[in-house]
Amino acid sequence: MSIAEQDGVVVATYANDPELLSQVLRPYREHCQYLRTAVLEVAQNQLPTVAGDFEIGESCYIDDTGHFNSVEFNICYNQLIYYLIAKSVQEGLLPALRGWTLDDFWRSQLPDILITDFSSRFKRTMRGTRFSGSVSLTEVVRHDKSAWWKPLIVLHTSCRFWDEPGGLSVGKVTIAIKNPV
């Protein structure tokens, strides 16, 4: 981790962690492991943001469309949010997840981390081979167990993907984490 001041705000940067990234991508088929690097930043009194570089050698489900599409958007988003959550757990960055260990994350990654609302917009056509993306947490809400529901953590996020020629896709995604520790 490195700490720097940017425009009067202290920002902690967590460099790419290849070992953690490899573990985060383990559930994906090898040809669908698109995220190559990920760097997490946390500005003072803010929620974490992760930025990453992607490479899609070939589509996992269709002949080459020549552009970044909604299925790839979703896969790339998933890979970034999983990394953001795993790194946040590892570093103790989110109070709502402070009781978690990485073992809790690995156990919950597929069955308990769910997209509940997904919106994407393709503003300018992007090529789908090499590009960058980011996911920012905008709000974290923990709902403790009650007579009406089981405990739940809700993550509100915004994301974007872009390439050098100027392509741009943006989105808002809500994540629910069931069975938080």
Side-chain angles (χ1 to χ4, degrees):
M1 173 184 61
S2 66
I3 297 177
E5 191 171 313
Q6 298 173 3
D7 299 323
V9 176
V10 176
V11 178
T13 301
Y14 297 84
N16 183 54
D17 182 338
E19 185 177 321
L20 183 67
L21 180 57
S22 176
Q23 285 296 101
V24 164
L25 297 178
R26 191 175 43 80
Y28 291 87
R29 305 292 182 260
E30 190 173 331
H31 67 281
C32 293
Q33 295 179 3
Y34 300 149
L35 182 58
R36 300 295 184 228
T37 63
V39 175
L40 189 126
E41 287 190 346
V42 185
Q44 184 176 4
N45 300 320
Q46 299 293 316
L47 293 168
T49 294
V50 65
D53 293 316
F54 294 87
E55 186 176 333
I56 300 177
E58 64 177 308
S59 176
C60 66
Y61 75 101
I62 195 170
D63 288 340
D64 186 11
T65 61
H67 60 84
F68 186 63
N69 63 53
S70 62
V71 171
E72 292 158 345
F73 185 111
N74 193 320
I75 292 169
C76 293
Y77 172 85
N78 287 352
Q79 291 177 6
L80 275 175
I81 193 67
Y82 285 149
Y83 186 87
L84 185 150
I85 295 168
K87 192 65 172 173
S88 293
V89 166
Q90 184 181 55
E91 302 296 337
L93 300 175
L94 295 175
L97 295 174
R98 284 227 172 98
W100 273 30
T101 65
L102 277 176
D103 285 338
D104 295 320
F105 173 77
W106 304 134
R107 191 171 31 263
S108 299
Q109 182 178 5
L110 296 182
D112 294 330
I113 300 176
L114 312 168
I115 291 175
T116 62
D117 190 33
F118 184 91
S119 167
S120 60
R121 293 181 47 208
F122 297 84
K123 295 177 145 288
R124 290 186 298 276
T125 302
M126 271 178 53
R127 58 179 188 213
T129 52
R130 289 189 180 160
F131 56 95
S132 299
S134 68
V135 171
S136 298
L137 289 178
T138 58
E139 184 180 26
V140 177
V141 180
R142 184 178 181 105
H143 298 283
D144 291 322
K145 182 179 179 181
S146 77
W148 297 280
W149 60 75
K150 295 180 180 180
L152 184 72
I153 296 172
V154 179
L155 307 177
H156 297 276
T157 69
S158 63
C159 62
R160 66 187 189 103
F161 298 97
W162 65 93
D163 63 10
E164 281 192 27
L168 179 64
S169 301
V170 298
K172 293 190 180 298
V173 183
T174 303
I175 300 290
I177 301 176
K178 301 183 334 177
N179 305 313
V181 176

